[in-house]
Amino acid sequence: MKVRMGRFMMNGHLLNSGYPAINVPASRQLEFNERMLAFYESGDQAPMNRFVRSCMDERVVRIMKEEHSP
């Protein structure tokens, strides 16, 4: 439950900042879980950060940036 709440809060922050929510596809759930366990053990956020960013749809990011441009 903690991970779901964390993702919920992360997505709220992203949306408030003009970025799309991040969806972890079911096909990558095992990878997500493994990377989270490694993060908890090491404290190194870089691999998890790369993984989460790889789940973002760049087309949506580009559209949202256009909508929030001055």
Side-chain angles (χ1 to χ4, degrees):
M1 183 62 136
K2 290 179 186 179
V3 172
R4 285 188 221 151
M5 181 56 74
R7 275 193 272 173
F8 177 75
M9 293 175 69
M10 172 189 70
N11 282 330
H13 180 72
L14 287 169
L15 290 168
N16 282 334
S17 298
Y19 293 96
I22 295 173
N23 179 40
V24 177
S27 63
R28 296 187 72 189
Q29 189 63 48
L30 177 60
E31 183 182 1
F32 173 84
N33 292 340
E34 291 171 343
R35 290 185 186 272
M36 283 303 295
L37 289 173
F39 168 69
Y40 292 146
E41 291 176 5
S42 71
D44 181 8
Q45 57 83 31
M48 192 63 197
N49 191 312
R50 283 190 297 274
F51 171 80
V52 170
R53 288 172 183 267
S54 76
C55 293
M56 295 176 74
D57 185 334
E58 291 299 322
R59 296 169 297 173
V60 176
V61 172
R62 188 171 50 253
I63 290 167
M64 291 188 79
K65 283 183 179 180
E66 290 172 4
E67 289 178 1
H68 286 58
S69 294

